Amino acid sequence: MIEVETDVTGGLPGIHLVGNLAGEVKEGAERIRCAIRNSGMTIPPKKMIVNLSPADRRKTGTGYDLAIALSLLNKLDQCPLPFEDTFLICGELSLDGTIRPIRGILPIVSFAREKGISHFMLPAANCAEASLIRDIKVCPADKLTSLIEQLKTGNLPAPYVSDNSTASDQPVSCAIDYADIHGQESVKRAVEIAASGHHNLLMIGPPGCGKTMIARAIPSILPELTDRERLEVTKIYSIAGLLDGEHPAMLTRPFRDVHHTATKASVIGGGVYPLPGEISLANGGVLFLDELAEFQKPVLEALREPLEDKRIRITRSGNHIYEYPADFVLVAAMNPCPCGNYPDRTRCQCTPTQLKSYSQKLSQPFLDRMDLCVTVDKVAYSDLASHQNERSSAQMRSSVAGAHQIQLSRYAGSSISYNAQIPARLLNKYCPIDGSGERLLAEAYERLSLSARTYHKVLRVARTIADIDGQKTISLEHLSEALTYRGIDRHFWDE
Amino acid sequence: MSSHTIFDYWLAAITDLPGHYKIKIKKHFPDLEEFCSLSSDEISRIPWITDPQKTMINRAKPISCLQREYEQMESLGVRMITWQDPEYPQILDTVHDQPFAVFVKGTLPPAERKTVSVVGARACSPYGKKQTRELTKNLVSAGFSIVSGMASGVDGLAQQTALDSGGYSLAVLGCGANICYPKHHKVLYDKLTEHGGILSEYPLYEQPVKYHFPQRNRLISALSDAVIVIEAREKSGSLITADFALEQGRDIYALPGPVDSPLSCGCHRLIAQGARIILSPEQLIRDLGGTAGITKTAVETGDIPGDLSETEESVYRYLSFTPVKLSELELMTGLDTSLVARTLMGLQLRGLVSELSRQCYIRV
């Protein structure tokens, strides 16, 4: 929490802002001076020092303008501050006295609320976003002149009342519906499982068989954000400056499509004052990496930690650690080999050396993070024409929503939210299987050369399949299907 | 034991000079040291050496360069066998362009047994792999030795299968006998040195250059009584081997396959041009003049195991020895994708179906 204090002394006239301030904060002195003058008040030619304490913490952003202005005017006895409760004041001033909105208001308000502050004075345009936090009183401030008029009469601006037009139940608009995609039922099934349990999915197939299209249709089946998730996602987008006045809250799960030329900083976050990267913008939703083999290796390696920990820590000099959440579902698409036809040896022209170097683009630990793997094939013409047994987005969405509900109640009060997050030690608790299931898995372990990691993942995926089925117990059928979609390792490319 | 000199090695190292010319030179100059020390003028005066060959001889590596290699030969486990040696494979004498000398590791094919070569495409299909294994196993049990080129695909698989079945196999290399090409066959190479043989026409350390391979293919067919082609594309090295086999008067057997597979195209052409068709391991062995021993292990297409459930049967029916994808099976059976996936996994775990690659299945 930053406190603003002002002192007026003798000396050369001027407004001095101190307290380890970034450039834009210091420039506020000029803005404030103009705004005050243009609001009809005068600043006496005295030396005024405004300190933002604690003085060693770095302050950035333009949100301090309003607070500094009011503190100054109060010290100069030109404006009273009739606040009974502790208020948090935020806002940027423009030269004519208008109070402008700032970026990242939601995390600020959320943090202040946690610290016990429930009264806020914010720019009018920020109020809708701020009102997402419950149990607070927000006073909108529009122009400096009108604000000071009100304060002089001993009143506060009338509290903001949210009109709730940003409530949920907005239909998700997605350009593609799964009913439009023909002949890829097994891939759709894998996508359904991935979305339901938050499992990471890898699609492998030749160019042009529809991987990208299938991935882009995923938003049409994602269920709504929970309240907690909505808040977190909106905070992240607020910091990134991606919210606009019309959409102050993020209602739908994000879908971030990252191009393979993206740099490490843009993907995991960074910059001088680290902003959230794609992985944080995908928090609560899906991160889609198309053409996985074309990504720079450092970028893929940098993804390993957030995939494990569900958060990203960025350190800067001076021991500042910025931590952003990164809890997303990873969906990736790639070709099986440089020519795209492997393992069809009649068409694949790649030499064993080419296959080997292609397989080395993905490290084994990275492949270990992919819980599901499905091959996507070119659809024969007859498939395009026939329409039997096809599932639509609406059907898939209701399955996914149902599975989410089950997980919500199952994990209520615990630290995990989805089946993909079950730690190994809790597998026995949440994914119990009977004797015949054990025997099936033991058989599969031998025959299919499973690793211990794969074994655990199969259990989690089977749990999700059972949830989609509405079943409490995990049956042999659920286990069998989970095995069909198990992840791959480097041996996929051995002949 | 070795009755050769470094001058024989020098002559053998002139790789582009055809073998029968080298033999001619040796016949005329039994003491090759003399020939070696001839100047280029003196060589040009020899009437029966053509101009291009003179160039080759003049360009040959000087003895001093070869001294080291020659002395290393024994420690590398290689021995040089010239055409005058008693150990030189007699079968090579029937070939016009026979090698002057061969470099051998391990043992040569036992003289009392018949030899067949098994060759085929490097990128072979699962069908090709299966048939290579079947036929080689049967051939080995019927007492045949297997010769091949140790290349990826059919060659390597045939040699591995021969050794695994307790038989003998000889690899003819397109590089020096001490070099293992391709690299990922190192284990096979070592096993062949131990339990089979490695043969090369090229001096030590000679790299596997492209044009060596057609030349070595002539040796593969030369060293065998019959050539068996498992899979070959329309233009492939295996067809070159078959051409040599024709020249050398060896029998050619070709395996038919699916008519729409580019890998069986070459084989079908051979059959159309008169090569013999392989109908079964037993028939092949009978034609080759051996006695078939082993019983068939392959399940004929059309046989469905009796203890399958209805769903399993309807899925199994559409599987064969050519790969079928999960998406195709859904369409063919008309069943729900989850159900097909589960059924396939069940069949896999019972050993009736194998997953060639993710969601791509064949019968075992």
Side-chain angles (χ1 to χ4, degrees):
Chain A
M1 304 297 301
I2 308 297
E3 281 192 24
V4 179
E5 51 187 10
T6 311
D7 196 20
V8 181
T9 67
L12 280 174
I15 303 177
H16 303 280
L17 306 181
V18 299
N20 196 2
L21 309 174
E24 66 268 16
V25 192
K26 285 195 209 155
E27 286 167 354
E30 297 307 318
R31 286 195 291 276
I32 293 163
R33 184 196 295 280
C34 283
I36 291 178
R37 205 182 53 240
N38 289 334
S39 304
M41 291 166 280
T42 49
I43 299 183
K46 297 231 174 84
K47 180 172 178 178
M48 290 160 280
I49 303 185
V50 183
N51 177 39
L52 275 63
S53 65
D56 62 341
R57 277 288 215 93
R58 186 84 178 142
K59 319 246 176 4
T60 59
T62 50
Y64 302 102
D65 289 0
L66 186 58
I68 296 171
L70 288 178
S71 173
L72 256 176
L73 290 172
N74 183 249
K75 189 71 181 175
L76 294 170
D77 292 322
Q78 294 196 26
C79 175
L81 296 176
F83 300 136
E84 281 161 15
D85 314 282
T86 318
F87 261 73
L88 182 89
I89 304 175
C90 256
E92 178 187 314
L93 283 176
S94 64
L95 300 182
D96 63 357
T98 316
I99 299 169
R100 309 187 83 254
I102 60 165
R103 199 157 50 81
I105 197 73
L106 187 58
I108 293 173
V109 171
S110 172
F111 178 71
R113 183 74 189 84
E114 279 170 37
K115 293 289 179 196
I117 297 181
S118 50
H119 291 78
F120 298 85
M121 182 178 291
L122 305 174
N126 273 141
C127 291
E129 184 184 331
S131 62
L132 288 177
I133 307 284
R134 302 197 197 286
D135 303 325
I136 57 169
K137 193 163 131 192
V138 178
C139 299
D142 201 16
K143 282 196 83 82
L144 195 59
T145 30
S146 42
L147 176 65
I148 293 174
E149 298 268 330
Q150 282 219 282
L151 288 174
K152 278 187 180 161
T153 63
N155 289 330
L156 296 169
Y160 174 81
V161 176
S162 138
D163 56 1
N164 275 332
S165 62
T166 53
S168 50
D169 292 339
Q170 255 180 26
V172 181
S173 65
C174 182
I176 318 168
D177 186 295
Y178 277 112
D180 301 331
I181 299 177
H182 301 303
Q184 302 278 20
E185 292 310 307
S186 52
V187 190
K188 288 189 207 173
R189 177 63 171 168
V191 164
E192 186 180 44
I193 298 172
S196 299
H198 273 213
H199 304 282
N200 298 329
L201 169 69
L202 175 63
M203 294 190 279
I204 304 187
C209 59
K211 306 185 288 292
T212 313
M213 202 167 144
I214 289 171
R216 296 239 172 95
I218 291 178
S220 68
I221 65 169
L222 295 177
E224 288 179 354
L225 293 160
T226 62
D227 284 340
R228 191 185 61 77
E229 285 171 331
R230 187 176 308 152
L231 197 56
E232 200 174 55
V233 172
T234 311
K235 275 194 217 175
I236 296 170
Y237 275 70
S238 178
I239 296 175
L242 293 173
L243 293 178
D244 59 48
E246 274 160 49
H247 304 105
M250 293 296 295
L251 299 171
T252 55
R253 292 188 182 271
F255 180 83
R256 301 299 295 186
D257 186 350
V258 182
H259 195 260
H260 57 81
T261 52
T263 60
K264 189 166 138 184
S266 69
V267 173
I268 65 168
V272 180
Y273 301 114
L275 288 178
E278 293 290 346
I279 58 174
S280 300
L281 294 174
N283 182 71
V286 173
L287 183 74
F288 176 46
L289 302 179
D290 205 358
E291 307 283 2
L292 191 64
E294 304 302 312
F295 275 80
Q296 296 168 28
K297 238 183 160 177
V299 175
L300 293 184
E301 289 308 301
L303 280 174
R304 275 169 52 191
E305 203 186 298
L307 277 170
E308 185 78 41
D309 301 334
K310 303 286 171 207
R311 58 178 164 74
I312 183 73
R313 284 185 154 177
I314 306 167
T315 36
R316 285 286 173 271
S317 61
N319 273 334
H320 299 300
I321 301 179
Y322 296 80
E323 188 179 299
Y324 287 116
D327 187 358
F328 56 90
V329 176
L330 176 62
V331 174
M334 66 184 285
N335 295 335
C337 69
C339 78
N341 288 313
Y342 185 82
D344 184 357
R345 283 323 243 152
T346 56
R347 284 205 280 270
C348 181
Q349 308 286 357
C350 302
T351 63
T353 330
Q354 280 178 304
L355 282 178
K356 186 161 182 209
S357 71
Y358 195 81
S359 77
Q360 282 169 345
K361 286 179 192 248
L362 300 175
S363 68
Q364 187 59 47
F366 186 86
L367 284 175
D368 280 343
R369 304 273 182 270
M370 308 307 292
D371 308 311
L372 299 165
C373 178
V374 67
T375 44
V376 190
D377 311 307
K378 280 211 165 72
V379 176
Y381 184 75
S382 51
D383 301 351
L384 287 170
S386 78
H387 293 275
Q388 44 171 320
N389 273 349
E390 278 182 359
R391 310 196 63 212
S392 68
S393 286
Q395 289 169 307
M396 291 166 72
R397 187 168 52 240
S398 77
S399 298
V400 176
H404 271 226
Q405 277 303 113
I406 296 177
Q407 287 168 83
L408 204 61
S409 52
R410 182 187 294 141
Y411 302 122
S414 78
S415 58
I416 59 179
S417 325
Y418 297 100
N419 292 334
Q421 296 161 359
I422 304 175
R425 57 189 166 78
L426 292 176
L427 280 173
N428 273 335
K429 177 177 176 197
Y430 291 119
C431 313
I433 50 175
D434 60 11
S436 58
E438 299 257 4
R439 280 194 293 281
L440 180 93
L441 283 183
E443 181 76 40
Y445 199 87
E446 284 303 318
R447 253 190 211 279
L448 307 174
S449 310
L450 300 185
S451 67
R453 247 189 207 272
T454 320
Y455 182 89
H456 292 155
K457 278 190 271 187
V458 165
L459 279 175
R460 292 184 193 111
V461 172
R463 176 75 268 170
T464 304
I465 297 176
D467 287 345
I468 296 175
D469 231 6
Q471 300 292 325
K472 263 199 136 147
T473 43
I474 299 176
S475 71
L476 293 179
E477 282 80 27
H478 302 143
L479 286 169
S480 300
E481 199 177 357
L483 283 166
T484 312
Y485 292 113
R486 69 193 184 282
I488 58 162
D489 57 16
R490 286 254 192 78
H491 294 304
F492 178 78
W493 284 280
D494 292 345
E495 294 219 70
Chain B
M1 180 182 71
S2 62
S3 53
H4 53 79
T5 62
I6 190 170
F7 303 102
D8 292 300
Y9 187 78
W10 170 84
L11 189 59
I14 310 176
T15 52
D16 38 6
L17 189 64
H20 59 275
Y21 274 107
K22 292 182 194 164
I23 293 176
K24 204 170 175 184
I25 292 173
K26 180 79 192 228
K27 281 182 176 157
H28 268 87
F29 296 89
D31 179 10
L32 272 180
E33 189 168 1
E34 196 199 319
F35 182 76
C36 247
S37 51
L38 287 178
S39 68
S40 47
D41 284 334
E42 290 167 313
I43 294 183
S44 29
R45 266 181 254 133
I46 303 175
W48 45 268
I49 297 185
T50 66
D51 283 337
Q53 285 156 19
K54 282 179 187 135
T55 329
M56 289 178 209
I57 294 171
N58 288 324
R59 274 218 229 115
K61 274 203 192 133
I63 296 271
S64 44
C65 283
L66 301 170
Q67 189 78 32
R68 204 47 140 34
E69 289 171 27
Y70 184 70
E71 279 157 17
Q72 271 181 339
M73 226 180 358
E74 199 180 322
S75 58
L76 287 171
V78 180
R79 55 188 196 286
M80 178 171 162
I81 301 172
T82 62
W83 68 290
Q84 289 158 321
D85 245 323
E87 223 191 326
Y88 186 86
Q90 282 183 337
I91 201 171
L92 287 178
D93 290 327
T94 64
V95 165
H96 163 65
D97 182 16
Q98 64 182 133
F100 166 68
V102 290
F103 299 87
V104 175
K105 271 178 115 165
T107 54
L108 285 170
E112 67 278 7
R113 294 213 224 142
K114 280 197 161 173
T115 1
V116 290
S117 51
V118 179
V119 297
R122 285 180 164 84
C124 60
S125 71
Y127 165 74
K129 284 195 191 139
K130 185 184 156 73
Q131 294 305 320
T132 304
R133 278 197 208 99
E134 273 302 307
L135 291 170
T136 310
K137 265 193 247 176
N138 280 282
L139 286 166
V140 162
S141 352
F144 289 88
S145 301
I146 309 289
V147 176
S148 193
M150 209 179 81
S152 313
V154 174
D155 289 22
L157 186 58
Q159 306 214 252
Q160 185 69 52
T161 311
L163 291 176
D164 288 341
S165 314
Y168 170 88
S169 185
L170 176 75
V172 183
L173 303 182
C175 54
N178 60 325
I179 297 192
C180 173
Y181 177 82
K183 271 201 289 220
H184 56 264
H185 277 172
K186 184 78 175 67
V187 176
L188 175 61
Y189 175 88
D190 288 336
K191 243 189 147 184
L192 283 166
T193 315
E194 201 85 23
H195 304 285
I198 305 230
L199 183 146
S200 164
E201 202 181 352
Y202 302 101
L204 299 170
Y205 298 108
E206 180 77 9
Q207 290 299 313
V209 181
K210 248 193 167 150
Y211 60 82
H212 287 339
F213 289 90
Q215 283 185 13
R216 74 87 191 254
N217 284 353
R218 93 183 188 287
L219 285 185
I220 293 181
S221 63
L223 286 162
S224 37
D225 296 304
V227 172
I228 297 173
V229 185
I230 303 285
E231 275 187 323
R233 289 180 198 260
E234 222 177 327
K235 291 192 164 70
S236 72
S238 319
L239 294 185
I240 296 181
T241 315
D243 280 341
F244 281 119
L246 266 179
E247 260 182 47
Q248 295 157 359
R250 312 293 195 246
D251 279 330
I252 307 172
Y253 292 82
L255 180 77
V259 78
D260 56 354
S261 164
L263 288 167
S264 288
C265 196
C267 291
H268 293 160
R269 269 205 200 290
L270 286 176
I271 294 168
Q273 289 164 356
R276 301 198 193 194
I277 187 171
I278 300 175
L279 295 172
S280 74
E282 293 76 27
Q283 165 261 329
L284 173 65
I285 292 171
R286 266 200 307 275
D287 282 358
L288 288 169
T291 38
I294 246 184
T295 47
K296 266 200 302 219
T297 49
V299 174
E300 286 166 7
T301 326
D303 264 11
I304 299 182
D307 55 346
L308 294 181
S309 72
E310 206 183 304
T311 335
E312 285 176 328
E313 212 188 290
S314 47
V315 171
Y316 191 79
R317 191 171 287 288
Y318 291 101
L319 293 171
S320 68
F321 297 111
T322 42
V324 186
K325 308 235 176 81
L326 180 58
S327 42
E328 291 167 344
L329 283 167
E330 282 156 27
L331 269 145
M332 295 194 277
T333 56
L335 297 171
D336 189 48
T337 184
S338 303
L339 187 54
V340 180
R342 294 163 181 182
T343 315
L344 281 166
M345 180 53 63
L347 290 169
Q348 249 188 290
L349 295 178
R350 284 168 63 177
L352 294 167
V353 160
S354 166
E355 200 180 21
L356 185 65
S357 169
R358 217 28 79 81
Q359 288 111 31
C360 185
Y361 305 89
I362 53 171
R363 281 199 200 178
V364 167

